Amino acid sequence: MSTALKLTGHHKDLGGGFMVRRLLPAAQQQSVGPFIFFDHFGPVTEQPGTNHDVRPHPHIGLATVTYLFEGAMMHRDSLGSAQRIEPGAINWMTAGRGIVHSERAPEDLRGTAYVNHGLQLWAALPKEFEETAPVFSHTPAETIPSTTVDGARVRILVGEAFGETSPVKTFSKTLYLDVALAAGTPFTLPPLAEQMALYSVDGDLLVDGEPLAMHTLATLTPGAAVQLSAAAATRLVVIGGDALDAHRFMWWNFVSSRKERIVQAGEDWEAQAMGQVPGETEFIPLPERKFTAG
């Protein structure tokens, strides 16, 4: 079979009724390449007066990767970065030894109804870079390379594919593609990385003739090309890369190869010793149920 696992994920309320579909981590598989977390949110219409702002919160040991199909959000972090995130851009925030950030509705959209739709992934950093200095990198939509393959429009968000290379800098081999399939036109996806998976954003697919329902993350058999097709125009993403160098422990917003490092990060956040987002006084408190290294 072309697909090794089919993950349907589960719904999670991030607060205030803001629901996401979480595909990774899963009980059957923790990660695909470096990607250890996969959230799909929307499409949802944000109404005037609705507050789905995500208050300042910390991360360690990972990079957040935010990509919008529709809408906008405002990113601010403890480095002093302030970036409006809009469709088509890649926003890669390396947490490393620690960073604090918030994600809020842009001020100019608060009084209007608008659609928010996108993906937030986390990439676990290689062990040698888990404690690297934090950095935020915004890659505008117009600098992301794209090409047409078998009638499909492919944007190379991260990594290399089909003769194109994304300008996004990573710490290990990483693959992230946005593919718009034409109706009824087969598209061949070659084995571009050691581990790969695909996720249909808005329609059902056929993978080597095998049905794959919308909103399912399918891991692919290593080393084999697959043929994708859809009855209607369909959008999907492909993720992958080199396998992680070791198991990762995950708790709340922290990822590390060492349990004791997560304990330390929790203590640091509780003491408000991980930095602050300039101009913001709110923060998300540490969960009452603490992580233990035992």
Side-chain angles (χ1 to χ4, degrees):
M1 291 179 61
S2 306
T3 56
L5 282 176
K6 293 181 180 179
L7 305 174
T8 55
H10 62 277
H11 288 91
K12 185 170 180 61
D13 189 340
L14 296 187
F18 185 63
M19 302 298 295
V20 299
R21 176 178 284 100
R22 182 157 296 166
L23 286 304
L24 290 175
Q28 305 97 312
Q29 185 155 334
Q30 184 184 48
S31 58
V32 177
F35 293 110
I36 200 163
F37 181 95
F38 187 119
D39 271 4
H40 178 198
F41 56 90
V44 60
T45 301
E46 302 284 358
Q47 299 291 348
T50 301
N51 185 357
H52 288 150
D53 287 355
V54 180
R55 294 168 292 161
H57 58 282
H59 291 288
I60 65 162
L62 58 88
T64 63
V65 190
T66 307
Y67 185 65
L68 295 182
F69 301 120
E70 296 180 83
M73 63 176 63
M74 193 67 195
H75 165 97
R76 293 184 178 88
D77 62 43
S78 51
L79 301 176
S81 313
Q83 178 64 54
R84 185 185 179 103
I85 299 175
E86 294 187 315
I90 279 287
N91 295 271
W92 181 287
M93 185 185 75
T94 300
R97 60 177 177 254
I99 197 169
V100 180
H101 76 132
S102 66
E103 296 159 305
R104 300 182 182 272
E107 287 299 325
D108 61 299
L109 295 181
R110 287 193 181 275
T112 64
Y114 66 98
V115 174
N116 241 358
H117 185 201
L119 302 171
Q120 186 168 89
L121 281 57
W122 296 355
L125 299 177
K127 288 172 67 175
E128 63 182 306
F129 294 110
E130 284 185 311
E131 299 297 320
T132 194
V135 65
F136 175 77
S137 176
H138 171 77
T139 305
E142 60 270 19
T143 66
I144 300 288
S146 66
T147 187
T148 300
V149 182
D150 297 342
R153 178 175 175 265
V154 183
R155 301 189 76 229
I156 296 83
L157 307 181
V158 182
E160 300 179 20
F162 304 109
E164 301 286 349
T165 302
S166 167
V168 176
K169 304 300 182 187
T170 64
F171 291 87
S172 63
K173 182 178 175 63
T174 306
L175 180 71
Y176 191 7
L177 309 178
D178 177 359
V179 182
L181 287 184
T185 304
F187 166 76
T188 299
L189 177 65
L192 298 168
E194 178 185 354
Q195 295 184 342
M196 290 173 58
L198 57 89
Y199 177 77
S200 179
V201 174
D202 60 8
D204 297 338
L205 296 174
L206 290 176
V207 182
D208 283 344
E210 177 187 351
L212 181 70
M214 176 175 68
H215 298 163
T216 303
L217 183 72
T219 63
L220 301 179
T221 303
V226 295
Q227 188 179 85
L228 310 178
S229 62
T234 301
R235 190 170 205 165
L236 63 105
V237 295
V238 178
I239 63 170
D242 288 344
L244 287 179
D245 49 11
H247 176 78
R248 290 302 189 275
F249 299 100
M250 299 180 67
W251 180 74
W252 195 41
N253 299 312
F254 305 141
V255 171
S256 180
S257 59
R258 298 181 294 121
K259 286 184 176 181
E260 61 272 19
R261 181 64 181 92
I262 292 180
V263 173
Q264 182 63 55
E267 293 173 352
D268 290 345
W269 181 242
E270 204 161 37
Q272 286 294 287
M274 293 184 69
Q276 290 185 316
V277 178
E280 300 202 29
T281 56
E282 294 183 300
F283 64 89
I284 299 176
L286 198 72
E288 291 185 12
R289 190 172 181 177
K290 304 292 192 295
F291 178 88
T292 61

